Each structure stands twice: as C-alpha cells, then as structure tokens.
Amino acid sequence: MINDWQKNQEKQDSDKQSLLTSHGILPKHIAIIMDGNGRWAIERNLPRAAGHQQGIESVRDIVKASSQLGIGYLTVYAFSMENWKRPHMEISILMSLLKQYLINEIDELDANNVRLCAIGKLNALPKPVQKILSKAIERTAKNTGLTLTLALSYSGRWDIIRAVQMIALDARRGNLSPEDINEELFSTYLLTSHMPEPDLLIRTSGEMRLSNYLLWESAYSEIYITNLLWPDFRRTDLYDALENYMNRERRYGMTSQQMNIENTKASQSQDSYLQRILSTFSPKS
Ligand code: FPP
C-alpha cells in the first residue's frame, strides 16, 4: 500500500531510495541511540532544550524516510531510565516535548499506516504523557506499515530482570519447567517480543557504548557510529548508514565460506518457491 509520504516524495530522494533497495537487503529493524542534543545546543550557545527540539525534527525525518523505504521496525531511545537523574527542568522539558510530539504527529503517523509502540517502565512517565501515549498506541494498533517503537524510561538490564522475574513466577505456578528455558522462550518475555532483533544499531555523536539499550536484542546487530550530533542526523545520513550496513557481511559466528553456502541455499530455495508460484499462473494448454 502506497502511503502519503511515498506519494509526495521528491523525485531525487525516491531515486536514491530505489538505488538503495536495489543494492541489497535493507535491515528489517533499525534501532537508534539519538545522542548529542545537548552538545548541539551548547555549540550554538542555546539552551539544551533547543537541542531536544531540533532532535524532534530529525525523528520526524527519519521516521518518514524509514516508512518510505519500507523498513519494518524503527526503535528510538527517547528517554532512558538513567535519564531520570537529569535536572528536573530538563526532564520536564523532555516530557512536554514528547507529549507535544504525540499530539502533533499522531494524525500523520496514523494516515501513513505507522503503528506506534512503546517499551520501558511506562508507569513512571507523568500521567498526562501516559494517557496520550496509550491513546496513540491504541489508535494505530491495527496499522501494518512501519512499527515505530519509542523506548521511554527504558533500560535493557531492567527489561532482562523483569523477564527473569516473570519466568520464575511461571515456573512457580507450574506453567514451565527450568528445562524449557532457552533463548527463544526468554525473548518472548521481553518487552521487545513484538519485533525482530535489530539488524542495524545506529548511534550518533561518536560515543562508542550501548548505554543499556536493547542489551539482549542487539547481540548480533551491526553497529554504526557516526560523529554527527542527533539534531544534524537526517535522511541522507540514514542512507549512508544503510549503504555501510549493506556492504557488511553478517556471519553470526560462522565463516565467510559457510555464509556463502547458506546464502546460495537461501536464494535457491527462493528460486524454486518462485518457480512453483509462477507455474500455478502458467496458461494451461
Ligand atoms: C541524548 O542527547 C538525547 C536524549 C536524552 C533525548 C532524546 C530525545 C529527543 C530526540 C526528543 C524527543 C523524542 C521523541 C521521540 C519525541 P543528550 O541530551 O544526552 O546530548 P549530550 O550527550 O550532547 O548532552
């Protein structure tokens, strides 16, 4: 289904996107650590809030570009559990920007088939934010395009501990036994169980750490770090990250040679699948 964002796209940009999609397999899931809002503002002698405000413009552009590209999942780190330690004034500015973002964007997100989700300790958010957030989530729940997940009051370790507690409870109730616990089952207890693991993890501002983001889920993610500060990161920078990602070889612990064999097998089975489909459409003589 073509959405409004795709219909109204500039030719040069859609050509660039077509080039990217023809180049290889795009990531199904992109996760982003949006860092550097404060430094962006300080460099310009502006209050930190101006950096966060400008950061929202980057969020808007990246969401739109991801949707146009047909990316399935985009997960952005909007507020970590550790961010509660920031000065009260900055927290309250971030919360009101978040509220404003949801109010301003929900119609356009919905019209463009975006499904909004959130992960984190959401009951720690101010009540008015919780209310608007859950309304937006409910309203877009049936959308089938890009799934945009906001990580809010989120911590990877917290989610892992939460999952362990729930597994222990299920074991105590007799719903599962310790031998049933494996990676697959464990993943179903995480807040991210509705999405595939991130293929590409982008961090802006040049810092080389995960900052407690998607710790379990990013085990095999390709990491892309750019020195750009988040408010300067726009769609052309996303395209650079995607190009870089598509030129990498993902080996999942195997050798290059094994990966070549796996890829040949996958493309052969896809070919025979296509042949079977095509044969059902061939004219009967
Ligand atoms: C990190 O920059 C960024 C944050 C803590 C918040 C990110 C929030 C936004 C981009 C705006 C709100 C988001 C949405 C989805 C509405 P920093 O402040 O740590 O920057 P610094 O490291 O340069 O100080």
Side-chain angles (χ1 to χ4, degrees), residues 249-262:
E249 182 187 48
R250 301 185 75 190
R251 291 205 297 271
Y252 304 95
M254 289 188 267
T255 65
S256 268
Q257 201 184 13
Q258 285 176 302
M259 282 317 291
N260 286 339
I261 297 169
E262 290 297 316

Side-chain angles (χ1 to χ4, degrees), residues 170-184:
D170 271 348
R172 194 165 67 189
R173 288 179 188 134
N175 296 336
L176 61 83
S177 61
E179 305 80 65
D180 297 330
I181 303 170
N182 54 30
E183 291 187 12
E184 203 182 329

